[in-house]
Structure formats: C-alpha cells, structure tokens
Amino acid sequence: MIDRTDIGQVVDALYACISGPAGPRDWDTQRLIFYPDSRQARTGLDADGKPWIKIMDREQYVEDVTPYFAANAFYEVETARRIDVFGNMAHVWSVYEAKTHPDDAEPERRGINSIQLYRDGDGNWSVLHMIWDNERPGLSVPDSL
C-alpha cells in the first residue's frame, strides 16, 4: 500500500511500477500515482545533435513503452533525490540508473527525472509532470543535487 501523503513513497512507487523483468508492468499503480491529466516527457538529441521531446499523457506513455517492456528487462534505480516543497506543489530531482538486471555493476544509462507533484485536498500527492534526460558526451549527472 502506497502512502500518497509521503512524496518519497510516491516516487518509490513510480520506479517500482516500471521496473522488472521482461513482461507486463504495474499500470494500475501508474494510474494511481499520476494525476489524470499528467504528462511525461522524454527528451534527447537526434543524430544531428538537435534537441527533441516526446510528450505523452498517461495512456500514451503506456502505449509507447509496453512493447519495449514486453521484450526487455528494465530496472530504473534511483541513486539520489532532492525534494523541494512549497504549499501544495513539490519538485523532485531524481537521479537514476537504468539496468537490465538490478545487480548489474554498470548501468546502461544514467540521467535525471524532474518530477512535479500536486497535493490534493486529502493530502495525497500525484505526479503532475515528469521530464527526463540521459547522460551523454558533454552532459553528466552532477555529483550533488
């Protein structure tokens, strides 16, 4: 059971619902912790080095990643976190490593998830927006957040 009044538990659930061996993911938890009108945005650089972004609602994200997760083990492990709260909004900087097995010594990639959350009238936090980018030549995760 996720205590949604605890930002840390919401973020932990975010990682847990997408991580695992090849096969289905826990989309019910994803729908629970993400606000109904939330957005997830993947960013990166194309072959010419130009920035791109793909913005998805909850269901578009599920459609986008389900084929990959069906065929591939994927474990996203948080390695550092900073939470800032002001009233009913929060921002989490979450450093991650992506691995094909949780015990892999070296990740296949690292990056940062920038997560914005909203606290409703019952005190429950929901992810409103999440954007992420991966390390690449010239872009490294800072040693401290």
Side-chain angles (χ1 to χ4, degrees):
M1 184 69 172
I2 303 164
D3 177 1
R4 290 187 43 230
T5 65
D6 182 321
I7 293 170
Q9 285 194 35
V10 173
V11 173
D12 290 345
L14 183 153
Y15 282 101
C17 74
I18 62 165
S19 295
R25 293 301 190 257
D26 182 1
W27 299 127
D28 289 339
T29 295
Q30 190 247 19
R31 289 178 185 103
L32 173 69
I33 63 173
F34 279 78
Y35 193 77
D37 291 329
S38 64
R39 296 291 181 266
Q40 296 179 68
R42 179 184 301 123
T43 89
L45 299 178
D46 68 17
D48 296 323
K50 294 182 182 177
W52 58 264
I53 190 166
K54 182 173 187 171
I55 301 171
M56 300 162 278
D57 65 23
R58 289 187 316 186
E59 297 311 314
Q60 289 168 329
Y61 176 78
V62 170
E63 290 172 19
D64 185 65
V65 298
T66 293
Y68 178 82
F69 289 152
N72 299 280
F74 178 82
Y75 295 86
E76 196 164 272
V77 179
E78 185 181 55
T79 61
R81 176 188 298 171
R82 184 180 82 208
I83 300 173
D84 296 307
V85 178
F86 184 80
N88 294 317
M89 61 182 181
H91 181 245
V92 179
W93 284 106
S94 179
V95 178
Y96 62 83
E97 296 181 341
K99 302 178 176 188
T100 56
H101 189 278
D103 296 330
D104 288 348
E106 292 295 319
E108 61 180 53
R109 65 182 168 268
R110 294 174 4 124
I112 296 179
N113 288 315
S114 173
I115 308 163
Q116 293 177 325
L117 300 98
Y118 161 73
R119 181 173 43 204
D120 67 19
D122 294 326
N124 292 316
W125 291 98
S126 296
V127 176
L128 185 63
H129 185 256
M130 181 172 153
I131 185 170
W132 63 94
D133 204 347
N134 295 322
E135 284 184 322
R136 57 183 166 270
L139 181 65
S140 298
V141 171
D143 291 332
S144 64
L145 290 179

